[in-house]
Amino acid sequence: MFSILVLHGPNLNLLGKREPGIYGSSTLEDIVRLLEEEATYHKVTVSSLQSNHEGVLVDAIHAALGKHQGLLINAGAYTHTSVAIRDAIVAVNLPTVEVHLSNIYRREAFRHHSYIAPVAIGQISGFGADSYRLGLQALVNHLKERG
Ligand code: DQA
């Protein structure tokens, strides 16, 4: 059974209250529950971690080695700034899918660049909480095809 690490970056702990017009009304708890249901359906396991600290996310990516087979990540604002998170993903060489609730390409120019996208299998952006569900599905399909 595949085990997937789900990482939620800064400010995502405030989902539900935070700019609901952009990020929707689902809380982080709702998203974690949705991912657990989706994981059961695909017969995989998910472990979720949210942190507002870049180093904690880097440590979690390192610790995934040998424990998880894939990474689903919404790095929040670190998407647009963090060479360290990108390097950690490259270092562990785990298949990674990047997700965003909002469509980052319809927003401010500074959100159009992702340090993670070039080292990810792919990116899903703009479908609200459904981005996570679609991202998990894509990651599981990739892992199953790879065998
Ligand atoms: C986000 C988009 C980022 O630009 C922003 O900083 C976030 C959330 C999203 O899920 O849409 O914190 O990653």
Side-chain angles (χ1 to χ4, degrees):
M1 194 194 257
F2 293 117
S3 169
I4 288 154
L5 177 64
V6 185
L7 290 180
H8 309 270
N11 302 307
L12 296 173
N13 52 312
L14 296 181
L15 284 179
K17 295 194 213 62
R18 176 193 181 199
E19 300 183 85
I22 294 177
Y23 297 117
S25 57
S26 297
T27 63
L28 185 59
E29 243 175 52
D30 294 334
I31 289 171
V32 169
R33 205 174 319 117
L34 175 144
L35 283 170
E36 276 163 8
E37 283 166 14
E38 189 70 12
T40 305
Y41 175 77
H42 291 291
K43 300 187 170 59
V44 300
T45 61
V46 283
S47 306
S48 286
L49 172 82
Q50 188 276 329
S51 179
N52 295 321
H53 305 277
E54 189 175 19
V56 172
L57 296 166
V58 168
D59 285 345
I61 294 167
H62 294 177
L65 204 52
K67 203 165 149 202
H68 302 287
Q69 287 72 50
L71 178 64
L72 185 70
I73 184 166
N74 182 353
Y78 288 143
T79 305
H80 319 299
T81 63
S82 182
V83 177
I85 290 176
R86 173 203 176 110
D87 283 355
I89 294 169
V90 174
V92 297
N93 197 25
L94 285 175
T96 297
V97 172
E98 173 184 352
V99 299
H100 298 284
L101 294 142
S102 62
N103 179 347
I104 57 175
Y105 303 101
R106 288 182 70 171
R107 301 184 61 196
E108 302 95 325
F110 65 83
R111 296 186 203 274
H112 297 178
H113 176 260
S114 166
Y115 278 101
I116 296 168
V119 300
I121 305 164
Q123 183 196 69
I124 296 173
S125 177
F127 297 97
D130 225 23
S131 290
Y132 287 86
R133 205 176 52 75
L134 295 166
L136 181 62
Q137 192 183 321
L139 181 56
V140 170
N141 287 349
H142 173 88
L143 291 171
K144 285 184 178 163
E145 273 165 27
R146 209 187 57 165

